[in-house]
Structure formats: structure tokens, C-alpha cells
Amino acid sequence: MSQVDLPTSIGYALKRAATALRTAMDATLRDCGLSVAQYAALELLVQRAGLTNAELARGVFVTRQATHQLLAGLADAGLIRIEGAGRHQRAVVTPVGRTLLTDASTRVAAVERRMLAGLSPERQRALFGDLTACTAALQPDDADPA
């Protein structure tokens, strides 16, 4: 017999919410010609300039190997340029990439507002705190909190 009661499972509800969010983001970003991973990479590269490929992989929730493909696709589209080599290689968002990111970010923010529309600002802050605490509880002791 299962130990998880799906109708009351927080983990299951969280997975359903994450899937619904991903589906809505996929739909809105499709109009920009971006995947969720591409959007996340552009957003991180602008907000945290100088990220290594490993840091970017963790931030976008892909493997380091997948990061190379992701960056190659963004570079081929003219959205980023690669500077340096080896361990000193860094991706920089181009002006074209920044323009597209502005549109994409506005669209993603609208999806998030729609998702949170039924929650008061206090409940939104509490939800953020609770999710942050849940994440921290599952991190290995030596894990990077990013």
C-alpha cells in the first residue's frame, strides 16, 4: 500500500503547480522563439554576469553537457557571444538578446502574476518563505544554495 495520499500530498501538489507553471511559460515563450531553459539562461546571464558554465547549468537546472548545447543555440541565434576560452569562457548577452529578454521577461512575469492572483501579498510572502525552507531542508550540507 502506498504511503503517499495524493489528494493531500504537498509534494504532489508542488509538482502539479510546477508542471502548470512550466506549461504556461512554454506557451508564452514560444511566441518569443525561446524555450524555458533558453529564457532562464538569458535571465541568469544578465542578472549574474560572469557565471561559469557549471553555475549556469545549476541555475537553469540542466547538466553541464546540456549547457554547452544551450549556449551554442543561443550563440547561433545571435542572443549571446562567448568570450574567453576554457575555464575562463563566459557567455555575454548581446543587445539583440537583451531586447528579446525584455519581451520574454515581461511575458513570464505576467504568467507569475496570473499564478499568484488568488493569493494576498502576505500569502505570497509566506509561500515564498515556505518553499525556500523546503528547498533548504532537502539540500545536502555541502550544496550551493543557488
Side-chain angles (χ1 to χ4, degrees):
M1 174 135 188
S2 175
Q3 298 295 310
V4 176
D5 180 39
L6 289 181
T8 61
S9 170
I10 299 293
Y12 187 65
L14 183 58
K15 181 62 177 173
R16 289 182 58 218
T19 299
L21 175 61
R22 176 70 183 247
T23 299
M25 287 176 65
D26 281 336
T28 198
L29 290 170
R30 193 172 301 118
D31 293 339
C32 297
L34 293 174
S35 69
V36 172
Q38 289 172 322
Y39 160 74
L42 290 173
E43 195 74 72
L44 282 171
L45 289 170
V46 166
Q47 292 190 29
R48 299 181 192 166
L51 285 177
T52 66
N53 285 359
E55 291 166 332
L56 183 62
R58 283 191 299 275
V60 178
F61 308 106
V62 298
T63 64
R64 282 188 291 181
Q65 294 80 5
T67 303
H68 293 289
Q69 292 175 321
L70 179 65
L71 291 174
L74 291 171
D76 289 346
L79 303 176
I80 64 165
R81 68 177 178 280
I82 305 299
E83 296 180 350
R87 291 183 178 258
H88 301 288
Q89 178 179 310
R90 298 295 184 266
V92 177
V93 180
T94 65
V96 171
R98 285 179 180 272
T99 299
L100 183 61
L101 178 60
T102 297
D103 181 33
S105 189
T106 298
R107 291 167 180 266
V108 168
V111 168
E112 188 168 318
R113 281 192 306 275
R114 191 173 94 217
M115 178 181 70
L116 297 172
L119 300 177
S120 69
E122 295 80 20
R123 294 216 32 222
Q124 289 179 35
R125 283 190 295 278
L127 176 60
F128 181 83
D130 291 345
L131 292 173
T132 301
C134 289
T135 302
L138 295 174
Q139 293 295 319
D141 291 339
D142 62 344
D144 180 0

